[in-house]
Amino acid sequence: MPLARRVARLAVCSAVVLVTASACAPEPEKKASGNATTAASCAPGELATVASGKLTVGTDKPAYAPWFEDDDPANGKGFESAVAYAVAKQLGYDKGQVVWQTVPFNSSFAPGAKKFDFDINQVSISDQRKKAVAFSSGYYDVRQAVVALKTSKAAKAKSVADLKDVKLGAQVGTTSLDFVNDLVKPTQKPSVYQKNDFAKSALKNGQVDAIVVDLPTAFYITGAEVTDAEVVGQFENTTGTPERFGLVLDKESALTSCVSGAVDKLRDNGTLASLEKKWLSEAVDAPVLK
């Protein structure tokens, strides 16, 4: 082959190789940006929220004390209302930019797209729930407790075994119900209720011997709502990992790391501990049922 033609052919081949290599080369910057949240995108005003310039927060209705007060999440009173506004402030949103949305408890962590930026409603972080939604880091370590009428046989329980033959109740979809089914394993099928209000009514009317709720709620029930009931005790943490409440986000939310970062800062600077002391201080220790 003549030298001129050979040089021209090599030039074309080289160009093809360069184009091909360029087209097939990895693009780390694009891959890194993807759905991942960068530090810059957590800056105030740059969050990809449901409503531009607003932070939409979900919770159930009624909004129970001591997590909320007067069934009004927007008033900033109650532990979870205060936490929500503290997180919002960390993210760069003042109180007037927070929009509350009613979200039934079970709907908050059900599969499907969400219409809130995060939900706060005593939702425990679990691997099962993580299949459908994302969670922030935990903002509260919780124990489950037993509430019984003072005249009930359940009120005399000193251990988990003592609860096996009593009629228990709990809200559907909760870790409270999981403790009943998986730890107590009662001989009678537990009564399951859509809301804690219904469980409390059943307790008051004697339809169940006891109900299982989280410890702060247990103390509130006995102190303000069903005054002839008492906190029998709390369940022991047998897993070594505490049960924690987390903020719920859409499975694909780009805000998850931003929201987790805000929660972490509130924990590190003592805000969460301060809010817990202010709003949950009456939830004192209860006997441990082993």
Side-chain angles (χ1 to χ4, degrees), residues 220-236:
Y220 181 79
I221 289 173
T222 57
E225 297 183 319
V226 188
T227 54
D228 54 346
E230 63 183 10
V231 180
V232 177
Q234 60 181 310
F235 292 117
E236 185 179 23

Side-chain angles (χ1 to χ4, degrees), residues 185-196:
K185 299 177 181 177
T187 55
Q188 301 180 63
K189 186 176 180 181
S191 295
V192 182
Y193 304 95
Q194 284 297 321
K195 292 181 178 291
N196 268 335

Side-chain angles (χ1 to χ4, degrees), residues 20-27:
T20 304
S22 175
C24 299
E27 298 182 38

Side-chain angles (χ1 to χ4, degrees), residues 55-59 84 88 98-103 116-120:
L55 189 69
T56 303
V57 182
T59 198
V98 176
V99 178
W100 288 89
Q101 182 182 85
T102 299
V103 180
F116 52 75
D117 294 309
F118 67 76
D119 183 274
I120 183 167

